[in-house]
């Protein structure tokens, strides 16, 4: 497991797509800041370095951008058939799947953390870090902890899709459709079942939005953590099952 | 001799079609096993079964006496598909990714294997490689884990004559010096005959024949006779044999007798020719290479 994880990390570091996605996320920062500046209620919203970190949560652009990397990182194993050289050396195919998941999670978290830091710096230069004094360290750590779960849940879904589709293009298309339409489907499901936004609130994107605060309540923390663990666990089991039953 | 591979009633079905059908194969340590068959005969599927890439429908595989195939596969290097390389990485990086996976990430080792297959330009991206270079890199990749048993599916495809010779000599060297056991499939039967100790012939998923190099030498059934008067000899044989039982090789000035499987039969022909005053300069078995043998077996299988 250790060696396969190291091999996957090596490939991720050598992967151009990760750095292209990261560069894209950093390059769109000035554009995003410009849009905020141009908006008429810039000052009434109390924009600052600390607030912009929260505002970015629930934004699909970073998630979809890293979905490109995930789809390419996993799709290439199937498209080059390199998986045939890897799988037979594993005691369990699940090791390979979990290694891919861990590396993709690291990629997702690293890219989001780096772009968040850049956002914070640019916004702080423009408006100051925390003129309205909303920032506190314990809240920030809780925020990071919850966002980490939400981003890992998204990653787990994307990884599962990639192992099912086995193709970069199809996996990315499915990822985009999932990010765009699954929240609406869950909302619809809640209405039909009368479950009062239970399913909708469990979606990683909504979890990220709910946790975008420096003062998360205990119920939000528990709900977000539980929902994300269920998504990560179920999609990982599904993906492992698929890989185990797949004849390569 | 120690058995490296042993399969019992190995069968792989897709739907109702048996792609590998009741195959029993044994490969001993140090052997080079040449797998021959037409396209779709089941060679690649058999190799994929041995690599654990597909699961058998029936039967069992034992690798290095291990019934658990994943344990045995640790000592196996394989290439069972078109070169499985990352196009965006160079040769060294491709090797390193595999070496880390196998816990053999030693720079000098990687360079040693790349040099062994004749790849010295390590900075070039694999997407810029020719097919032959990709094949060489693929073979280097299979060696990085220092395997005891190599499974190679069509490793000489796309190689130029120099590359073919290099790979042939490399395989022979690995077999001789490292006592490496090799299973190799190829449509280049002439090349295969230069390295293989044992041949397995597959057709429609079945292993229809297994023969060693020595046995192949003994199965030569065709005999040629060099005579002084070819036209006269032809007239005599017309009355004695069916047209399918002999042929005239005008170029070499000889008569080829097909499937002469008894000395008595040969004696009769010999006597008849002498009786008509034809002098026989030489009688000898006709060399039958693996290609002729393969086609003869295929024809016999079809007629059955």
């Amino acid at each position: 497991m250790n060696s396969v994880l190291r091999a996957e990390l090596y490939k991720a570091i050598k992967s151009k797509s990760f750095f292209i996605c990261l560069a894209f996320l950093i390059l769109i920062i000035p554009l995003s800041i410009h849009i905020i500046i141009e908006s008429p209620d810039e000052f009434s919203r109390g924009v600052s370095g600390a607030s912009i970190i929260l505002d970015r949560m629930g934004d699909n652009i970073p998630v979809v951008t890293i979905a490109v990397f995930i789809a390419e990182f996993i799709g290439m194993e199937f498209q080059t058939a390199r998986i045939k050289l890897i799988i037979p050396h594993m005691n369990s195919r699940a090791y390979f799947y979990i290694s891919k998941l861990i590396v993709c999670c690291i990629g997702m978290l690293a890219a989001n953390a780096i772009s968040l830091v850049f956002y914070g710096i640019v916004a702080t230069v423009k408006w100051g870090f925390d003129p309205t004094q909303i920032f506190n360290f314990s809240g920030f750590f809780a925020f990071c902890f919850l966002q980490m779960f939400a981003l890992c849940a998204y990653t787990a879904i994307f990884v599962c899709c990639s192992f099912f589709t086995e193709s970069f293009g199809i996996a990315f298309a499915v990822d985009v459709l999932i990010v765009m339409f699954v929240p609406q489907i869950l909302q619809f499901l809640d209405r039909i079942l009368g479950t009062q936004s239970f399913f909708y609130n469990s979606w990683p994107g909504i979890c990220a939005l709910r946790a975008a605060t420096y003062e998360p309540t205990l119920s939000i923390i528990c709900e977000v953590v539980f929902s994300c663990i269920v998504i990560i666990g179920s999609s990982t089991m599904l993906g492992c099952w698929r890989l185990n039953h797949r004849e390569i | 001799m120690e058995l490296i591979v042993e399969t019992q009633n190995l069968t792989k079905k897709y739907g109702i079609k048996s792609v590998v059908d009741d195959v029993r194969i044994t490969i001993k340590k140090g052997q080079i096993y040449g797998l021959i068959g037409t396209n779709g005969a089941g060679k690649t599927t058999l190799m994929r079964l041995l690599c654990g890439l597909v699961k058998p429908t029936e039967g069992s595989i034992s690798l290095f006496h291990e019934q658990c195939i994943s344990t045995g596969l640790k000592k196996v290097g394989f290439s069972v598909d078109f070169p499985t390389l990352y196009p965006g990485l160079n040769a060294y990086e491709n090797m390193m990714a595999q070496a880390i996976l196998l816990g053999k990430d030693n720079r000098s080792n990687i360079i040693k294997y790349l040099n062994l297959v004749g790849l010295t330009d390590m900075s070039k991206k694999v997407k810029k490689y020719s097919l032959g270079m990709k094949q060489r890199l693929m073979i280097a990749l299979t060696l990085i884990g220092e395997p005891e048993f190599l499974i190679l599916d069509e490793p000489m495809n796309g190689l130029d004559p120099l590359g073919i010779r290099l790979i042939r000599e490399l395989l022979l060297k690995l077999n001789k010096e490292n006592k490496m056991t090799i299973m190799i499939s190829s449509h280049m039967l002439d090349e295969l005959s230069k390295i293989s100790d044992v041949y397995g012939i597959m057709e429609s998923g079945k292993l229809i024949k297994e023969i060693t190099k020595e046995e192949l030498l003994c199965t030569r059934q065709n005999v040629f006779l060099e005579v002084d008067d070819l036209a006269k000899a032809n007239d005599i044989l017309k009355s004695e044999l069916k047209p399918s039982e002999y042929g005239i090789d005008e170029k070499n000035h000889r008569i080829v007798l097909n499937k002469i499987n008894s000395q008595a039969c040969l004696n009769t022909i010999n006597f008849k020719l002498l009786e008509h005053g034809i002098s026989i300069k030489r009688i000898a078995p006709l060399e039958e290479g693996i290609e002729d043998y393969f086609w003869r077996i295929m024809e016999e299988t079809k007629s059955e």
Side-chain angles (χ1 to χ4, degrees), chain A residues 3-4 6-7 10-11 14 16 76-77 80-82 84-86 88-91 93 244 247-248, chain B residues 12 14 48 51-53 55 74 76 78 81 84-86 93-94 96 98 100-102 105 138:
Chain A
S3 56
V4 65
R6 279 181 58 223
Y10 178 80
K11 285 185 265 180
K14 293 285 173 189
K16 267 190 192 164
M76 72 171 175
E77 302 290 2
T80 63
R82 182 65 172 250
K84 293 181 184 184
L85 276 194
I86 300 170
H89 290 293
M90 310 271 115
N91 285 328
R93 290 185 179 193
N244 275 327
E247 297 207 321
I248 296 160
Chain B
K12 178 66 194 174
Y14 290 107
R48 289 169 74 204
C51 296
L53 290 169
K55 288 172 187 151
K74 295 199 187 316
V76 183
F78 38 81
D81 212 321
T84 48
L85 306 164
Y86 299 122
E93 290 164 346
N94 262 285
M96 183 53 98
Q98 189 71 2
I100 296 171
L101 179 79
L102 301 174
D105 45 330
M138 197 58 224

Side-chain angles (χ1 to χ4, degrees), chain B residues 44-105:
Chain B
T44 302
T45 308
L46 175 63
M47 288 180 154
R48 289 169 74 204
L49 281 161
L50 295 178
C51 296
L53 290 169
V54 290
K55 288 172 187 151
T57 312
E58 285 168 43
S60 64
I61 303 166
S62 157
L63 276 178
F64 295 91
H65 302 289
E66 300 275 1
Q67 286 297 327
C68 173
I69 194 166
S70 61
T71 315
L73 279 171
K74 295 199 187 316
K75 300 176 195 170
V76 183
F78 38 81
S79 155
V80 285
D81 212 321
F82 184 79
T84 48
L85 306 164
Y86 299 122
L89 302 186
N90 62 34
Y92 180 82
E93 290 164 346
N94 262 285
M95 289 285 280
M96 183 53 98
Q98 189 71 2
I100 296 171
L101 179 79
L102 301 174
K104 311 260 183 192
D105 45 330

